[in-house]
Amino acid sequence: MKVLVTGATGTLGRHLMKIFSDCEVYGWGWSRASGKINKIDLSNDAQIKEQLAIIKPSIILHTAAITKPEVCRNESERARTVNVSATRTLAAWAKENDSFLLYISTDNIFDGKNPPYKPNSKPNPPNHYGRIKLEGEQELWSTGHNGGVLRVPLLYGPVEDPKDSIVTQLVEKIKKQEPFDLDNWAIRYPTFVGDVGYVIKQICLRRTKHCGFSGTWHWTGKEKFTEYEMGKVITSILGIPDTHLRPVNDPQTGEDSRPLNPQLLASALEHMGFGRQSPFRETLQTIIARMGIPSS
């Protein structure tokens, strides 16, 4: 397999570069691109096509995205270019060149009011990020490409910078033991990037054997937490009190609101024998140790 990973400097992208290292793998990034990862402007349609013509990937893993809802709202054109326009360009090239594009989407396409959600459940994004990611899905299918969409929830894993993940951001805040508010109403399903990478590789291997393998799939961790509940797990790992964590029980409203409970059903992939799901506490404890933060 000749594999191209977009967003290769992100938490998931970095992991994919590692697990596909037994293949001919190429990475595209932007702000932190260096070494094997080429700096590619996903708003530059001509550059995308030029680089695709050079690499000629058989598989494209499109993880690049602008994920912060407030950025998607305030810089909507830039967000739409990365999340939508670039997806259309990649999908059109993949269709023309018998490649396979797997687009990484989000649980934020659902408002979370009627969980759990199947891949064919009706979307109703509660924020700009979810709406733009849903547009990206629609653009992929509009090209007629026989590709794939994998929706995932909140991801966490080893990071270069704690800001790369909401979970590691929480760790950095909580270790200071200064009072701050944490959402205690929106349900999250933190999912280890290693598990998502494992499923992605299984999907790609299946596709190489069965060219008609295509569709929309879900993958998710099984354990559910609010941010406040994740915070209590973190204090337990660090061996510090949780009294500085202040739960906010009132639901968020407005244009950047989170889904209430966007639980994804992963049964389609599970029935094919795909996937694994790592326990949150044990996996996070290992990540915190790698961050050099003492724990109990």
Side-chain angles (χ1 to χ4, degrees):
M1 293 186 292
K2 188 183 287 189
V3 180
L4 169 64
V5 179
T6 74
T9 58
T11 303
L12 177 58
R14 284 196 311 273
H15 186 76
L16 291 174
M17 292 292 290
K18 291 178 182 177
I19 68 167
F20 282 93
S21 60
D22 58 341
C23 306
E24 188 177 346
V25 62
Y26 298 84
W28 287 359
W30 183 245
S31 59
R32 290 177 288 182
S34 62
K36 289 181 63 177
I37 299 173
N38 290 330
K39 189 169 186 175
I40 302 296
D41 181 2
L42 290 179
S43 68
N44 188 329
D45 201 57
Q47 187 183 24
I48 293 174
K49 293 176 180 178
E50 177 187 12
Q51 291 299 312
L52 287 171
I54 294 170
I55 298 170
K56 296 182 175 61
S58 56
I59 291 174
I60 304 170
L61 305 176
H62 188 25
T63 79
I66 294 174
T67 60
K68 294 181 179 179
E70 65 276 12
V71 176
C72 289
R73 172 170 49 83
N74 296 329
E75 302 179 45
S76 60
E77 286 308 309
R78 182 168 75 93
R80 185 165 276 103
T81 296
V82 173
N83 294 330
V84 181
S85 301
T87 303
R88 180 175 59 249
T89 301
L90 292 168
W93 187 92
K95 181 177 185 293
E96 292 170 5
N97 293 273
D98 295 322
S99 182
F100 173 61
L101 171 65
L102 182 64
Y103 173 71
I104 306 303
S105 191
T106 174
D107 60 356
N108 273 243
I109 70 160
F110 301 113
D111 59 20
K113 295 179 181 178
N114 295 288
Y117 293 95
K118 299 177 182 178
N120 63 353
S121 294
K122 184 178 180 180
N124 185 31
N127 53 50
H128 287 271
Y129 170 56
R131 284 190 283 275
I132 288 175
K133 289 300 287 185
L134 179 59
E135 285 182 42
E137 292 187 20
Q138 294 165 341
E139 286 294 334
L140 184 155
W141 300 124
S142 73
T143 65
H145 174 49
N146 191 28
V149 172
L150 181 66
R151 297 177 184 144
V152 295
L154 171 67
L155 299 184
Y156 72 98
V159 294
E160 291 183 348
D161 185 327
K163 294 178 182 178
D164 288 349
S165 163
I166 290 175
V167 176
T168 46
Q169 286 180 44
L170 281 179
V171 173
E172 287 292 309
K173 286 184 179 180
I174 288 169
K175 74 176 184 179
K176 297 176 183 177
Q177 300 191 54
E178 297 172 356
F180 73 102
D181 297 338
L182 282 173
D183 162 25
N184 194 37
W185 65 271
I187 304 298
R188 317 296 290 272
Y189 293 82
T191 302
F192 180 48
V193 292
D195 297 342
V196 176
Y198 184 75
V199 166
I200 288 173
K201 192 159 190 181
Q202 288 179 306
I203 289 171
C204 292
L205 289 171
R206 177 67 64 89
R207 173 64 179 228
T208 61
K209 296 177 182 177
H210 304 282
C211 61
F213 187 59
S214 171
T216 298
W217 306 288
H218 291 170
W219 195 255
T220 180
K222 291 291 189 184
E223 299 168 273
K224 63 180 182 179
F225 303 88
T226 63
E227 271 193 353
Y228 175 68
E229 290 166 344
M230 283 192 282
K232 289 173 72 71
V233 172
I234 292 167
T235 58
S236 174
I237 292 172
L238 297 180
I240 61 176
D242 61 18
T243 50
H244 63 296
L245 307 182
R246 299 184 300 221
V248 176
N249 298 312
D250 296 327
Q252 183 184 13
T253 59
E255 294 180 309
D256 298 330
S257 62
R258 291 175 179 166
L260 177 61
N261 179 5
Q263 181 185 6
L264 301 174
L265 279 180
S267 53
L269 291 177
E270 289 172 336
H271 288 159
M272 289 186 278
F274 284 19
R276 65 187 186 197
Q277 287 145 329
S278 301
F280 179 65
R281 180 189 169 90
E282 289 84 346
T283 309
L284 182 57
Q285 190 161 12
T286 300
I287 292 166
I288 287 175
R290 290 183 185 178
M291 293 169 69
I293 301 173
S295 59
S296 60

